[in-house]
Amino acid sequence: MALVLHSSENKNAFKALIAAEYNGVKVELKKDFQMGVTNKTPEFIKMNPIGKIPVLETPDGCVFESNAIARYVARSSADGALYGSSLIDYGHVEQWMDFSATEIDANIAGWLYPRLGFRAYIPQAEEVAIANLKRALVALNTHLASNTYLVGHSATLADIVMVCNLAYGFKMILTKSFTSEYPHIERYIWTLVNQPNFKKVWGEFEQAKSVPAIASKKPAQTKEAAKPKAKEQPKKEVAKKEETKPEESEEAPKPKPKNPLDLLPPSKMVLDDWKRLYSNTKSNFREVAVKGFWDMFDPEGYSLWFCDYKYNDENTVSFVTLNKVGGFLQRMDLARKYAFGKMLVIGSEAPYKVKGLWLFRGTEVPQFIIDECYDMELYEWTKVDINDEAQKERASQMIEDAEPFEGEALLDAKCFK
């Protein structure tokens, strides 16, 4: 009996089919599969008790879950090349497969599926999914900066799974403007999808030109709507009833939950005015922008914080350090409405120091940022005492990218606004 894959043509089926191409194994894709029909039959339920696809039918029994199926096909080759050449390679293949499932695929789905109408659309949940996806992509981009493949020097099952998940994202929602921040991932994707074993399964595909619009919800037809229309009443009478008794079937829209920072008393400091002044000041920066900041600053409505990276000894490669800071700023996107930041990478040689200055709405570091941005715990946070002239001067120097800073050259200075 040949291996038979029960599935529609999708990225989860493609994992096994690409692995089969590398191993020279014949896997028949049952193309007459109909979701919602075929997977509800007693025969299919015997193969997968909850009726999910894909399912692989083998001479020894059935296997479900796409990564498990891909593993089965990958191990069907005697040389085991898709799992690397050593025990540590095997561990790294499994590591990147899990990373792809939990950090890449899950967060692409968290962004995409609500927009397609497959899940309820919740703006806050979308923000979290995008922030988590960016965190994962920064880590992946950093790894690929010095590696052609995820493990070793040739494609493994880790690459097959990762590319299938990423390619689906590229096709559906990850536009060029989004992925341009991750050049090594772009190189990786386009290189692999054009290799023969990938291209035979994926074929040609284009990157998404735009993020899908949020699917409109069609109101369900009520029993009342299905009934024959009653005799039309005089217009005045109908209008009167509508005024006094709203339709029972209609639900009042639920108010969007407010961020706790939106409930704070108004502040005399308008964050957008400061960001505009910062961006538009081209000369006499200290006299115009820095002085303007201190004139605007409201210690009752905002707080100012120094942050110092806890593990500067690890910053031995300049581009990796810069990517680390860039990733942190990307993950802070969820705070853009409530924050302004400067991040300095300091030093002319390794190890490089990473230090920052952050302005936050409120008198403490916002809890939702601490909860959602894991990088926060990698820094030591110290509230700026604006009554201390030395601390105030240090903050001013960070705002204006003063060089040298604390006696050292600046490798780079990044702004979050």
Side-chain angles (χ1 to χ4, degrees):
M1 174 187 172
L3 299 177
V4 178
L5 187 64
H6 298 266
S7 180
S8 55
E9 290 187 292
N10 59 49
K11 69 177 180 68
N12 287 331
F14 291 169
K15 298 172 189 176
L17 296 176
I18 295 170
E21 290 295 327
Y22 273 96
N23 277 353
V25 176
K26 182 173 177 55
V27 175
E28 176 191 350
L29 178 63
K30 199 133 184 179
K31 293 187 177 181
D32 59 351
F33 181 90
Q34 288 182 282
M35 191 63 180
V37 178
T38 309
N39 63 317
K40 300 296 184 184
T41 63
E43 293 78 14
F44 193 91
I45 296 300
K46 286 182 180 179
M47 293 190 291
N48 184 343
I50 60 173
K52 287 177 63 177
I53 61 168
V55 172
L56 183 69
E57 196 173 1
T58 82
D60 302 312
C62 296
V63 182
F64 57 84
E65 296 295 340
S66 62
N67 281 1
I69 293 170
R71 288 182 175 99
Y72 179 96
V73 176
R75 288 173 174 162
S76 62
S77 171
D79 62 12
L82 289 179
Y83 266 95
S85 58
S86 65
L87 184 59
I88 190 62
D89 281 356
Y90 170 84
H92 286 159
V93 168
E94 291 288 327
Q95 159 193 292
W96 285 112
M97 287 178 66
D98 287 349
F99 178 91
S100 180
T102 59
E103 303 295 340
I104 301 295
D105 192 35
N107 288 311
I108 289 175
W111 184 10
L112 175 64
Y113 290 169
R115 286 185 167 265
L116 298 181
F118 299 153
R119 299 177 186 170
Y121 177 78
I122 304 171
Q124 294 89 341
E126 179 178 84
E127 289 178 8
V128 171
I130 294 172
N132 288 341
L133 177 61
K134 287 181 175 180
R135 177 185 71 175
L137 292 177
V138 168
L140 179 60
N141 191 67
T142 300
H143 178 74
L144 292 173
S146 54
N147 294 277
T148 302
Y149 300 96
L150 291 176
V151 182
H153 302 291
S154 61
T156 64
L157 186 59
D159 298 300
I160 294 172
V161 171
M162 182 70 77
V163 168
C164 284
N165 289 335
L166 277 172
Y168 179 70
F170 269 58
K171 181 178 178 180
M172 298 299 295
I173 199 168
L174 304 184
T175 61
K176 175 64 178 176
S177 62
F178 181 87
T179 62
S180 61
E181 296 289 330
Y182 316 103
H184 304 299
I185 293 177
E186 288 186 326
R187 180 265 307 160
Y188 171 74
I189 278 290
W190 295 115
T191 297
L192 267 73
V193 295
N194 284 299
Q195 288 190 1
N197 290 332
F198 280 85
K199 196 164 188 177
K200 185 173 180 179
V201 175
W202 266 97
E204 301 289 344
F205 79 97
E206 295 183 355
Q207 188 167 5
K209 297 293 192 297
S210 61
V211 174
I214 301 167
S216 58
K217 293 182 179 179
K218 295 182 180 179
Q221 187 181 33
T222 64
K223 291 181 180 178
E224 289 296 321
K227 290 180 180 179
K229 289 184 179 179
K231 185 178 179 180
E232 189 173 331
Q233 295 175 325
K235 290 183 179 179
K236 289 184 180 179
E237 186 179 348
V238 173
K240 186 177 180 182
K241 285 187 177 182
E242 288 176 350
E243 288 174 6
T244 58
K245 187 178 180 182
E247 288 292 330
E248 292 180 3
S249 61
E250 291 183 2
E251 292 184 6
K254 294 180 180 179
K256 179 181 176 181
K258 287 197 172 186
N259 188 300
L261 299 183
D262 294 328
L263 303 177
L264 294 175
S267 169
K268 70 175 185 178
M269 184 177 195
V270 179
L271 188 59
D272 285 343
D273 287 351
W274 156 243
K275 291 180 178 181
R276 195 174 299 113
L277 176 64
Y278 177 90
S279 299
N280 293 338
T281 302
K282 306 302 180 185
S283 60
N284 298 322
F285 197 88
R286 169 66 76 131
E287 293 77 12
V288 177
V290 175
K291 182 179 182 302
F293 174 81
W294 293 115
D295 289 342
M296 293 180 182
F297 182 68
D298 171 21
E300 295 180 358
Y302 284 84
S303 55
L304 203 57
W305 298 79
F306 292 126
C307 68
D308 293 275
Y309 192 66
K310 295 178 181 178
Y311 310 104
N312 284 319
D313 288 347
E314 298 176 358
N315 297 331
T316 56
V317 181
S318 60
F319 77 86
V320 173
T321 305
L322 295 172
N323 284 344
K324 184 185 299 179
V325 173
F328 174 48
L329 295 180
Q330 287 180 333
R331 286 183 284 282
M332 289 292 283
D333 271 351
L334 75 168
R336 196 167 296 278
K337 182 180 174 183
Y338 311 101
F340 171 87
K342 293 298 298 285
M343 294 296 293
L344 309 183
V345 182
I346 303 162
S348 54
E349 58 183 26
Y352 304 98
K353 299 173 184 175
V354 178
K355 301 183 179 184
L357 175 74
W358 284 85
L359 174 73
F360 290 121
R361 183 72 166 101
T363 57
E364 298 296 333
V365 179
Q367 188 61 45
F368 82 96
I369 300 175
I370 296 172
D371 292 341
E372 300 297 341
C373 186
Y374 81 95
D375 304 64
M376 296 290 287
E377 66 182 26
L378 303 179
Y379 292 84
E380 199 72 52
W381 294 88
T382 307
K383 196 170 187 177
V384 179
D385 181 358
I386 61 172
N387 296 314
D388 183 323
E389 287 302 321
Q391 291 189 39
K392 190 173 178 180
E393 174 59 22
R394 184 174 190 256
S396 297
Q397 290 181 18
M398 298 182 87
I399 293 172
E400 68 172 330
D401 303 338
E403 188 176 16
F405 179 76
E406 297 181 338
E408 296 187 78
L410 289 182
L411 178 64
D412 198 8
K414 297 181 181 292
C415 181
F416 176 92
K417 56 184 171 64

